[in-house]
Amino acid sequence: MKSIITISREFGSGGHSIGMLVAEKLGYHFYGRELVEKVAQISGFSTEFIKESGEYASAKSGILFSLATVGQYETSGMSMHDRLYLIQSKVIEDIAAEGNCVIVGRCADYILRDYKDCLHVFIYADMESRARRIVERYGEQDRPPKKRLEDKDQKRRVYYKNYTGRNWGETHNYDLCLDSSKLGIEACANLIVTACRE
Amino acid sequence: MKSIITISREFGSGGHSIGMLVAEKLGYHFYGRELVEKVAQISGFSTEFIKESGEYASAKSGILFSLATVGQYETSGMSMHDRLYLIQSKVIEDIAAEGNCVIVGRCADYILRDYKDCLHVFIYADMESRARRIVERYGEQDRPPKKRLEDKDQKRRVYYKNYTGRNWGETHNYDLCLDSSKLGIEACANLIVTACRE
């Protein structure tokens, strides 16, 4: 039985909802917005800044990839993005130490990559389902849904590469990858719970 | 309940064994070696040629990507690899038409991509587990296991790209991707059965 589940997901794939369902089914603590709030408390950054910039660092900030791996948490002289990433990493490690949790996004799969007690999940979906989902959830915008999705994917890819050195969404980063548009939200949650219990 | 399961897999990931287990659990027909034998019967090619060349076409043969998609099965003037691929596609479609089957390898995921009644699975594993597995199963060779794996991966990647236009092992080609080295062979089989029943 795994006590920590990380969920990485494509925007509009329903990964957040699946994470909530899994947490509910297992009686685990769910960290989505709450993770942002914890980081805000510790860092002093606003939740808005964390939400916007936390996932979308520019490709130029990247010094902490090596710093993070040696466990050094001195943040003076760092960019705001890098400082935020380090604090976020520490918060994620603290959450993991308590166990029985589902953590969505924020490179948690990478930060906790050496934790044995962890199940790493990636949720994806086809473009049509994702487009439908973001319009239902967040409404229409001037930019067409497909363009919004492509922009977000690209930003997540750059952020992830920058801080982890890995390619976002590549199977080998995860234990389990699920297409929510083919399997359905409920079935994805059930599969994660099954994998967690195996 | 899905009646057709395709399993694509990295060499040494245990995908073949997982496929057999799934077929056993569901009472489905398993097509691994038997698929090769069916193709041999129809094509007149030897099973050895099919095993060796069937997965390892050169990057130069690729005319049938377009032919296959329009369902044209005239094979005169084609290279042996291309002819083999077309016959193989036809055999896979015939097997799918009968239903209740597990098909391993041979681009079945792509050939049956538009079949609604299909679950497409990709099995992968970390390098160490795969190296251990191929030495246990096929013995030592002059080339180190890691080199053998890299060569095979590269050949499968080229073959798959050549005949499907897709990138082999990319999540979006499959409904479910499982790391057998993290989850275990038995658990992978159970997850596939669960996904199939959802």
Side-chain angles (χ1 to χ4, degrees):
Chain A
M1 185 80 186
K2 305 285 186 193
S3 84
I4 306 156
I5 300 171
T6 71
I7 298 190
S8 310
R9 80 290 183 213
E10 289 182 343
F11 183 48
S13 69
H16 190 272
S17 305
I18 291 168
M20 286 182 78
L21 260 176
V22 168
E24 201 182 298
K25 284 172 193 282
L26 290 170
Y28 281 12
H29 205 104
F30 178 72
Y31 289 95
R33 189 161 301 128
E34 205 176 307
L35 174 57
V36 175
E37 279 157 15
K38 266 184 178 271
V39 173
Q41 268 180 357
I42 294 171
S43 67
F45 289 125
S46 73
T47 54
E48 285 67 31
F49 175 77
I50 298 167
K51 270 193 263 182
E52 288 299 314
S53 307
E55 288 206 332
Y56 302 157
S58 82
K60 281 174 197 152
S61 67
I63 48 159
L64 92 129
F65 174 44
S66 52
L67 285 175
T69 56
V70 296
Q72 185 178 329
Y73 288 107
E74 168 55 46
T75 62
S76 59
M78 284 184 183
S79 79
M80 288 209 294
H81 290 309
D82 290 352
R83 204 182 306 164
L84 185 56
Y85 180 85
L86 264 200
I87 292 167
Q88 192 174 283
S89 302
K90 185 72 180 68
V91 171
I92 288 172
E93 285 172 352
D94 288 348
I95 289 168
E98 289 189 15
N100 295 354
C101 55
V102 177
I103 308 169
V104 175
R106 314 226 151 232
C107 301
D109 61 297
Y110 177 77
I111 293 159
L112 305 178
R113 67 195 177 283
D114 294 328
Y115 283 57
K116 295 284 170 227
D117 201 20
C118 224
L119 182 75
H120 301 298
V121 182
F122 184 70
I123 306 288
Y124 55 102
D126 61 35
M127 199 47 109
E128 293 68 33
S129 316
R130 295 170 63 200
R132 213 167 35 241
R133 194 173 178 92
I134 64 163
V135 170
E136 274 168 22
R137 299 245 149 179
Y138 311 108
E140 296 275 4
Q141 284 187 3
D142 287 344
R143 283 181 311 161
K146 206 179 154 206
K147 179 82 183 95
R148 286 159 68 188
L149 290 168
E150 282 166 355
D151 287 354
K152 197 108 168 178
D153 284 350
Q154 178 57 14
K155 284 171 174 170
R156 285 196 180 164
R157 203 173 289 125
V158 168
Y159 176 80
Y160 190 79
K161 182 77 178 183
N162 186 36
Y163 284 118
T164 71
R166 291 174 170 186
N167 296 321
W168 181 68
E170 208 169 76
T171 52
H172 279 265
N173 303 336
Y174 316 97
D175 305 331
L176 185 66
C177 307
L178 304 171
D179 183 335
S180 63
S181 53
K182 298 288 168 43
L183 299 165
I185 299 290
E186 182 75 32
C188 285
N190 290 339
L191 285 166
I192 296 168
V193 169
T194 306
C196 186
R197 286 190 173 137
E198 282 281 352
Chain B
M1 185 80 187
K2 305 285 186 191
S3 84
I4 307 157
I5 300 169
T6 71
I7 298 190
S8 310
R9 79 292 182 213
E10 289 182 342
F11 183 47
S13 69
H16 190 271
S17 306
I18 291 167
M20 286 181 79
L21 260 174
V22 169
E24 202 182 297
K25 284 172 193 283
L26 290 171
Y28 280 12
H29 205 105
F30 178 72
Y31 290 93
R33 191 161 299 126
E34 205 176 307
L35 174 57
V36 175
E37 280 157 17
K38 264 182 179 273
V39 174
Q41 267 180 358
I42 295 169
S43 66
F45 289 125
S46 72
T47 54
E48 285 67 32
F49 175 78
I50 297 167
K51 272 193 261 182
E52 287 299 313
S53 306
E55 288 208 333
Y56 302 158
S58 83
K60 281 173 197 154
S61 66
I63 48 160
L64 90 129
F65 174 46
S66 54
L67 284 176
T69 56
V70 295
Q72 186 178 331
Y73 288 107
E74 168 54 49
T75 61
S76 61
M78 283 185 183
S79 78
M80 289 209 293
H81 290 308
D82 290 350
R83 202 183 306 164
L84 185 57
Y85 180 85
L86 265 202
I87 293 168
Q88 194 174 281
S89 302
K90 186 75 181 66
V91 170
I92 288 171
E93 286 171 352
D94 289 348
I95 289 168
E98 290 190 14
N100 294 353
C101 55
V102 177
I103 307 170
V104 175
R106 313 225 152 235
C107 301
D109 61 297
Y110 177 77
I111 293 159
L112 305 177
R113 67 195 176 284
D114 294 327
Y115 283 55
K116 294 284 170 226
D117 199 22
C118 224
L119 182 76
H120 300 299
V121 182
F122 184 70
I123 306 288
Y124 55 101
D126 62 34
M127 201 44 112
E128 293 66 34
S129 316
R130 294 171 64 201
R132 214 168 33 241
R133 194 172 178 93
I134 64 162
V135 170
E136 274 168 23
R137 299 243 149 179
Y138 311 108
E140 295 276 4
Q141 285 185 2
D142 287 345
R143 283 182 309 161
K146 207 178 152 205
K147 181 81 183 93
R148 288 159 67 189
L149 290 168
E150 281 166 356
D151 288 353
K152 198 108 169 182
D153 284 351
Q154 178 57 13
K155 284 171 175 171
R156 284 196 181 164
R157 202 173 292 125
V158 169
Y159 177 80
Y160 190 79
K161 183 76 178 183
N162 186 35
Y163 284 118
T164 71
R166 292 175 168 184
N167 297 320
W168 181 67
E170 209 169 76
T171 51
H172 279 265
N173 303 336
Y174 317 97
D175 306 330
L176 185 67
C177 308
L178 304 171
D179 183 335
S180 63
S181 53
K182 298 288 167 41
L183 299 164
I185 298 290
E186 183 75 33
C188 285
N190 290 339
L191 285 166
I192 295 167
V193 168
T194 306
C196 185
R197 286 189 175 139
E198 282 282 351

